[in-house]
Amino acid sequence: MAKTPEIRAAKGDAKEADRHNLGDPVADAAKWVRGLTTKRVSDLFKTEKGLEGHWKQVQQEVTRGNKHFFATKTLPGGFTDGGKTSPEGKKMIAFIADAIVGAAKGSKIDFPLQEMKFTSDMAWLKLEKASGKVKVKSTPGTKK
C-alpha cells in the first residue's frame, strides 16, 4: 500500500513518538499508524525470544485502531448493517500490514505462523518465515 499524503506527512511525528504511548487513532490516525509502524513494527522480528511479546503489543495497538476504523450502522427496526471498515481505515490497515511484511522480510530470524487480526470485514494478516523466506498466507484486503 502506498503511503497516503496523511501518512507521508506524519513521518516526522513518528520519529518523536513514544513507543509505549503512541497516541490515539481517533485524534490523528496517520500519526498513530506512523508511530506504530516506526516504533513498534520495526522491533517485531529482532529476536525469536521477543517475538511473542512484541506481537501481542502490536495486536493490542491494532485492536485500538480497529475499534476506531470499524463502525456499525443501526437500520430501521433495530437491525444493524453488520459493520464496515471506513475507507481511511482500509488504507491504514493495509499500511500496517505492509510494514509488518516488510519487517519480516528484513529480519534475520525464522518464525512460525503469526496471525494479526484486523477488522471483521478484512482478512487477517497471516505470515511465517522458514529457511529465510517469508510466506504470506493472508493479507488485509481480502475477506477471510
Side-chain angles (χ1 to χ4, degrees):
M1 173 73 187
K3 293 178 185 128
T4 66
E6 297 84 8
I7 292 172
R8 190 174 305 283
K11 182 178 183 178
D13 293 325
K15 291 178 181 178
E16 303 299 320
D18 176 355
R19 64 176 289 174
H20 296 290
N21 185 15
L22 293 172
D24 187 359
V26 176
D28 189 336
K31 184 176 178 179
W32 170 80
V33 81
R34 280 306 290 256
L36 173 63
T37 56
T38 301
K39 296 293 186 169
R40 284 289 188 178
V41 170
S42 62
D43 290 340
L44 256 177
F45 303 102
K46 285 197 174 184
T47 67
E48 191 173 351
K49 184 178 178 183
L51 178 58
E52 182 180 351
H54 286 130
W55 192 268
K56 285 179 184 177
Q57 291 167 349
V58 171
Q59 180 65 74
Q60 289 170 344
E61 282 297 320
V62 166
T63 299
R64 286 190 335 125
N66 289 345
K67 289 177 183 176
H68 170 61
F69 299 132
F70 188 82
T72 305
K73 291 183 183 177
T74 302
L75 305 172
F79 297 100
T80 67
D81 67 352
K84 293 182 182 171
T85 302
S86 68
E88 175 194 40
K90 289 179 181 182
K91 291 175 187 174
M92 299 295 166
I93 287 169
F95 185 78
I96 294 167
D98 287 351
I100 293 170
V101 171
K105 287 179 178 176
S107 74
K108 295 181 170 121
I109 63 167
D110 285 347
F111 53 86
L113 182 66
Q114 302 294 310
E115 299 179 341
M116 183 70 56
K117 181 180 180 182
F118 292 99
T119 56
S120 62
D121 63 339
M122 296 186 76
W124 291 21
L125 174 63
K126 298 178 183 181
L127 73 161
E128 64 184 335
K129 188 170 184 181
S131 301
K133 294 185 181 181
V134 174
K135 297 176 187 169
V136 179
K137 297 183 176 216
S138 174
T139 189
T142 57
K143 185 72 174 122
K144 295 181 218 173

